[in-house]
Amino acid sequence: MLEIKGIELRYGAVKAVRDVSLRVEKGELVTLLGANGAGKSSTLKSIAGVLKPARGTITLNGENISSLSPEQLVRRGVAMVPETRDVFPDLTVDENLQLGAFSRRFDTKAVAATRQQMFELFPLLAERVKQPAGTLSGGQQQQLVIARAMMSNPSLLLLDEPSLGLAPVIVDKIFEMIVALRKSGVTILLVEQNATKAMKISDRNYVLSLGRVAAEGTAAEIAERSDLKSIYLGS
Ligand SMILES: Nc1ncnc2c1ncn2[C@@H]1O[C@H](COP(=O)(O)OP(=O)(O)O)[C@@H](O)[C@H]1O
Ligand SMILES: [Mg+2]
């Protein structure tokens, strides 16, 4: 589904990603692990069209998407949940969800069906449809931004550190929801600092270090590389 070949990403003179290649097959849950500053968020941004590669290519379902805009990528089935976890605080839960469906707002039947599906996956949101999003807890806001991203009906969901800063019991909940989403058919590329937990639910993993892929493999294969522990466990 997704193939990244030798991308370089920069912010002006700063090289955030030097040389990253990776692939995600349809239906897979793949994680991107690595310490702070490794280039994980930048890699996700490049897939979502927010950051253009200075070198290399990004291919989605056989199409070179390297120069497409974020809007064009949403229409091609890519949705990103950034690490900033931004909700529209003064809008209700329901209004936040409707904004996620903006790209297909005229397809009201399909949007209503996805909304229903999200309420089944995230029952807590159903209880709070009319509540301003700003009044939700951190864990609830995380559920809302994931559900909002799902409202565009993506085939590829990019999740940037969904467990960051949440209490352990909430973190477990979020991971359960990611598993449920994956079962619903969406392909997921997950960025996590919580490597142990992330590798428990993933099919394959990439470890980034200083803007390059340091390792790729199943959880068992990564675990064998004791030299990598300090990198992906961030300690
Ligand atoms: N907006 C930005 N401007 C300049 N440098 C940035 C910006 N965002 C990230 N960087 C730099 O790019 C590198 C990779 O960052 P990032 O992709 O956010 O890493 P990660 O998500 O793995 O923590 C870091 O050195 C970071 O300081
Ligand atoms: Mg990041």
Side-chain angles (χ1 to χ4, degrees), residues 36 40-42 83 160-161 191:
N36 243 329
K40 305 181 298 296
S41 295
S42 300
E83 59 190 331
D160 199 350
E161 308 226 25
V191 164

Side-chain angles (χ1 to χ4, degrees), residues 85 124 136-144 166 170 174:
R85 201 177 291 164
L124 201 141
L136 301 180
S137 70
Q140 293 165 352
Q141 291 190 359
Q142 183 62 66
Q143 294 176 45
L144 177 57
L166 300 178
I170 312 294
I174 297 286

Side-chain angles (χ1 to χ4, degrees), residues 206-228:
Y206 290 87
V207 181
L208 293 197
S209 175
L210 305 174
R212 296 178 199 277
V213 176
E216 184 228 324
T218 62
E221 286 163 352
I222 300 285
E224 273 174 21
R225 298 277 307 271
S226 53
D227 58 313
L228 290 174

Side-chain angles (χ1 to χ4, degrees), residues 62-138:
E63 180 190 13
N64 185 346
I65 58 163
S66 316
S67 59
L68 297 188
S69 69
E71 292 76 18
Q72 288 172 313
L73 283 158
V74 169
R75 287 177 198 285
R76 280 164 179 74
V78 178
M80 176 167 68
V81 178
E83 59 190 331
T84 44
R85 201 177 291 164
D86 293 321
V87 298
F88 298 97
D90 300 331
L91 300 185
T92 65
V93 165
D94 216 7
E95 288 163 342
N96 271 272
L97 289 176
Q98 295 299 337
L99 283 172
F102 188 77
S103 62
R104 55 179 190 135
R105 61 196 178 282
F106 302 117
D107 198 353
T108 48
K109 263 201 180 143
V111 170
T114 307
R115 176 175 173 273
Q116 207 45 50
Q117 195 195 348
M118 288 306 113
F119 286 156
E120 278 155 31
L121 267 170
F122 304 98
L124 201 141
L125 297 181
E127 290 164 20
R128 285 154 214 262
V129 268
K130 297 213 165 86
Q131 203 170 310
T135 64
L136 301 180
S137 70

Side-chain angles (χ1 to χ4, degrees), residues 182-211:
R182 184 266 180 82
K183 279 201 186 119
S184 80
V186 67
T187 303
I188 299 177
L189 182 56
L190 170 67
V191 164
E192 261 299 330
Q193 293 248 0
N194 205 328
T196 310
K197 278 205 159 75
M199 284 199 285
K200 276 201 182 119
I201 63 167
S202 70
D203 298 304
R204 286 186 305 113
N205 315 276
Y206 290 87
V207 181
L208 293 197
S209 175
L210 305 174

